[in-house]
Amino acid sequence: VTGNTNDIERTYQALQTQASYRLFNRLNLGLSYTYSEAKGNEIGETAGSGPVASNPNSYREYKAFAQNNPVGFLPNDQTHRARAWASYDQALGFLGNLNISVLERFDSGVAYSAVQVIDTRPYVTNPGYATPPSQINYFFSDRGEYRADNLTATDLALNWTIPVSKVS
């Protein structure tokens, strides 16, 4: 059965900015920043397959409780994401070119919840389903109440290009 419903909530809002500047002929600087918020009661996608179909109205007798599908921060909610980089090119004559790059990354922690799959069959009288669901989500916290730690990392890249005839 396919149908439409207003029971699914999902919003994503973001502000993104990016800038770059060539300070000297050989030095490039840049940065990017994203401020975002993802809220709702439906994740609606997976890392491996992208969008997935769901039906929050299926098996209502087993899911009709507040801790089953609350509205809150979704797992992809990452408030801050920033990148700053610098890249320097140095000509080495007949030895080619050397590029040195550094990238600084900051990612704020993503949201997660205290949620567990439970079996509601012992507590619900089966209204006639041939196979009632055996696994229903139960949120022991608000959705997205907790945050993973922030992540900061520095990456360094060295690239040496050597000309060999018409290729490098």
Side-chain angles (χ1 to χ4, degrees), residues 86-101:
S87 174
Y88 183 79
D89 295 307
Q90 177 62 52
L92 301 175
F94 69 93
L95 293 175
N97 293 304
L98 179 66
N99 174 272
I100 303 169
S101 302

Side-chain angles (χ1 to χ4, degrees), residues 39-68:
K39 280 187 160 182
N41 65 352
E42 178 66 31
I43 296 171
E45 61 190 5
T46 65
S49 64
V52 293
S54 69
N55 184 354
N57 295 316
S58 65
Y59 303 109
R60 293 303 295 168
E61 298 83 1
Y62 292 87
K63 297 179 181 179
F65 57 96
Q67 292 83 7
N68 174 249

Side-chain angles (χ1 to χ4, degrees), residues 94-156:
F94 69 93
L95 293 175
N97 293 304
L98 179 66
N99 174 272
I100 303 169
S101 302
V102 64
L103 171 68
E104 186 68 20
R105 297 182 287 152
F106 174 78
D107 294 305
S108 64
V110 294
Y112 68 94
S113 309
V115 62
Q116 180 66 41
V117 174
I118 63 169
D119 185 356
T120 57
R121 292 178 297 181
Y123 313 106
V124 177
T125 302
N126 185 350
Y129 295 114
T131 309
S134 62
Q135 297 184 339
I136 303 294
N137 285 336
Y138 188 98
F139 282 80
F140 292 92
S141 69
D142 290 339
R143 186 184 285 265
E145 179 177 347
Y146 304 107
R147 293 280 169 174
D149 292 338
N150 295 336
L151 172 69
T152 302
T154 304
D155 298 323
L156 177 65

Side-chain angles (χ1 to χ4, degrees), residues 17-20 29-34 78 80-86 102-108 151-153 155:
T17 185
Q18 181 173 333
S20 62
L29 304 173
L31 63 90
S32 67
Y33 174 75
T34 302
Q78 184 179 44
H80 305 284
R81 182 178 175 164
R83 305 287 185 266
W85 61 88
V102 64
L103 171 68
E104 186 68 20
R105 297 182 287 152
F106 174 78
D107 294 305
S108 64
L151 172 69
T152 302
D155 298 323

